[in-house]
Amino acid sequence: MPARVYAGVVSLCTVAVAAFLSFAVTAWPPHEDETLALFSGRGSLTELYETVFRRGGAPLHFTISWIVAHTGGGLLGLRIVSAIFAVASVPVVAVLCRRLAGRLPAMLVSVLLAGSWTLLFHGVYARMYSLFLFTSALSYLALLRALERGGRRAWTFWALAILATTATHTYGAIVIASQGIYALAVRTPLRRLVVPFGAVLVLGIPLWYSDLVLAGRYGVGVGTGGAKLRGPIDVLRYFLHVAGDFTAGWTWAVWPIVACAAVGLALLARARARPALLAGCVFATPFLVFVGARVGGSASPETRHMIFALPFFLLLVAVGMLRILRYPALAAVAALALCYGEVEWGIHKNPELYRGEPAIRVDARESASRWLAGLMHRNDVLLGYNPLFLGAWEDGGAVSRTVVPRADPKLALEVLRAAPKPLGHAIFVFDASDTNNWRRRLSIPAELPFPREAFTAHAWGPFLVLRTRRPVRTPAEFLERAEAVQILGKGLYLGDADVNLVTARRALRLLDGS
């Protein structure tokens, strides 16, 4: 494969990803997790780190969110950051795969990566996952270079890359574990590994502590009894789901793709033992972790948590294609066909990412946000990081920093206890068009059987905002009002109302028992 052809295809794929994300970065509707990231950065940097290390989580993306929030970037600014790292991941992944298997497989990987829903979605989604892909791919590339060349400079670059990876996501610990296993498996002298790995382990102590805090919040431990991953079969089923989201997730498509990847692994093992061993470590390490861990429902891993494995899976698929089809031209056609299937899977999974948000929903959200911006007070109590609150903040509203999380009763109670007293008005938002609902609707009635002596209600399209007529003053009163509102939400068959009702009731029980 000529170097110019390889470079041209990789460049074309990079430009195509950048062009798509330029459209999707404003077309996809805002999400509550994006609101959380920006709202976490509204205070000082010291307050941000106190929150991160008290609640758990990786600090690098929150630091970026803090910078965006304090430079006036808002949601668009944070999404542009995600898009930049997604675009930058394409050439980095290409270089990694070229080093592992050569130019032709790397070229096919670039085509498959450019169409993957996992890359495109997280290139828009203003969280840490495109950054996680970029830093993890860079760390694997840096490890190969350090093992091959040695030297202080190479190992320092690897240490910086892997620390950035672990500071981006808690699953960075799995990445470094896979790299350590690989380094030992290729019989690297232990004396070469002690200093760089030891330095990373020591420098990463704050990160390991934060990971343990997060694991404690979500009930992740060693042993059996997880709500989602109960053993090897469940883990393999999860990996199959991940493979589908990496490519095309229909059952009739994913099994041949996985079979192709298996052929690629076998071929790579015969032709290039070390790359095959590295790919094996990338998948075997999380498999062993998930089999040995007790993973509860709120901590259940999703496709995004395995994004660090995306380059390796696509590489195995590409090598398998080249072996099965034998001719590079046929393999290129197959890669383009699979790329088309990936886009179709993305449209099936998340149509608004590709087609944009309905105009009626955009207008309704903007109108509701403007109304909230003119109404809110800094001592209000908000349930959940709803995008309407983000819109109100971007419109210049005095949006409260007391935001009660929806799915964690202990943390909800902690936030309520720490909030300045007396508490102000409680504000709740329902969205009839949310993807969690059993049936999505673009309208919601404002005339509902709610306690009118306690709340006022206002509706815009699918959004319903309920606000207490009087300040709630105490955590108990807020939780009681939240319980009443979520009972109303259940009556409207709104998906999040179930989780919110459980959170309110459990927090009330915790409050009564304290």
Side-chain angles (χ1 to χ4, degrees), residues 78 109 149 177 184 212 249 252 258 289 291 297 491:
L78 195 55
V109 168
R149 299 185 181 182
L184 293 173
L212 288 173
W252 59 266
V258 170
V289 169
V291 167

Side-chain angles (χ1 to χ4, degrees), residues 74-161:
L75 178 59
L76 178 60
L78 195 55
R79 283 188 170 181
I80 288 173
V81 170
S82 289
I84 288 171
F85 283 111
V87 172
S89 294
V90 178
V92 171
V93 168
V95 173
L96 172 62
C97 292
R98 184 191 67 188
R99 190 181 189 103
L100 291 171
R103 288 176 185 155
L104 183 54
M107 186 182 73
L108 298 184
V109 168
S110 298
V111 173
L112 298 177
L113 182 63
S116 174
W117 170 84
T118 300
L119 175 75
L120 298 179
F121 175 74
H122 292 101
V124 174
Y125 192 31
R127 292 198 69 196
M128 69 284 292
Y129 295 101
S130 64
L131 176 61
F132 188 31
L133 173 62
F134 175 80
T135 55
S136 60
L138 198 62
S139 72
Y140 282 113
L141 187 60
L143 177 72
L144 294 174
R145 183 173 181 270
L147 291 175
E148 179 183 305
R149 299 185 181 182
R152 182 179 299 177
R153 179 177 298 179
W155 280 111
T156 299
F157 183 72
W158 168 79
L160 292 173

Side-chain angles (χ1 to χ4, degrees), residues 148-460:
E148 179 183 305
R149 299 185 181 182
R152 182 179 299 177
R153 179 177 298 179
W155 280 111
T156 299
F157 183 72
W158 168 79
L160 292 173
I162 196 62
L163 284 171
T165 303
T166 53
T168 298
H169 197 278
T170 56
Y171 277 39
I174 295 179
V175 175
I176 191 174
S178 72
Q179 295 180 358
I181 293 170
Y182 170 74
L184 293 173
V186 296
R187 298 183 179 181
T188 307
L190 199 58
R191 64 180 182 276
R192 291 182 60 194
L193 302 177
V194 169
V195 172
F197 275 85
V200 166
L201 292 176
V202 171
L203 292 173
I205 286 175
L207 304 175
W208 318 136
Y209 171 77
S210 181
D211 291 347
L212 288 173
V213 171
L214 187 65
R217 277 184 55 208
Y218 287 108
V220 180
V222 177
T224 58
K228 185 173 182 179
L229 303 183
R230 298 177 184 272
I233 300 302
D234 278 350
V235 176
L236 289 174
R237 190 179 293 114
Y238 161 64
F239 277 15
L240 187 66
H241 170 78
V242 170
D245 275 347
F246 282 176
T247 51
W250 296 285
T251 303
W252 59 266
V254 73
W255 280 107
I257 292 169
V258 170
C260 186
V263 171
L265 180 61
L267 182 65
L268 204 59
R270 288 203 303 269
R272 298 170 177 249
R274 286 197 170 195
L277 184 59
L278 178 57
C281 291
V282 168
F283 291 103
T285 304
F287 177 83
L288 294 174
V289 169
F290 294 147
V291 167
R294 182 181 67 252
V295 182
S298 58
S300 297
E302 303 290 345
T303 297
R304 59 184 180 268
H305 299 120
M306 286 289 292
I307 198 170
F308 64 89
L310 176 60
F312 297 92
F313 182 74
L314 296 184
L315 177 63
L316 296 181
V317 172
V319 173
M321 280 182 175
L322 287 167
R323 173 61 176 176
I324 293 169
L325 298 174
R326 296 184 179 275
Y327 297 100
L330 288 179
V333 171
L336 288 171
L338 180 52
C339 181
Y340 175 79
E342 290 174 335
V343 173
E344 286 297 320
W345 174 249
I347 294 173
H348 167 77
K349 192 173 180 70
N350 197 322
E352 289 177 340
L353 177 66
Y354 297 82
R355 298 170 181 168
E357 186 180 10
I360 187 174
R361 193 173 188 271
V362 175
D363 294 340
R365 187 180 62 251
E366 291 177 350
S367 297
S369 294
R370 284 194 297 269
W371 181 81
L372 282 169
L375 178 78
M376 283 182 158
H377 299 285
R378 295 197 181 277
N379 65 337
D380 287 337
V381 188
L382 317 178
L383 179 64
Y385 291 89
N386 193 280
L388 294 190
F389 302 148
L390 174 61
W393 175 64
E394 291 186 327
D395 284 339
V399 179
S400 173
R401 294 179 61 184
T402 304
V403 185
V404 180
R406 296 191 305 102
D408 189 330
K410 291 182 180 179
L411 186 56
L413 197 54
E414 177 186 321
V415 169
L416 287 169
R417 284 171 168 165
K421 306 296 185 303
L423 301 176
H425 295 270
I427 300 176
F428 308 92
V429 176
F430 286 128
D431 179 4
S433 62
D434 191 84
T435 54
N436 289 334
N437 297 336
W438 295 329
R439 184 170 66 90
R440 300 180 68 185
R441 295 165 290 171
L442 288 175
S443 63
I444 192 170
E447 297 298 325
L448 295 168
F450 63 91
R452 297 183 182 277
E453 72 281 359
F455 300 96
T456 60
H458 301 269
W460 294 265

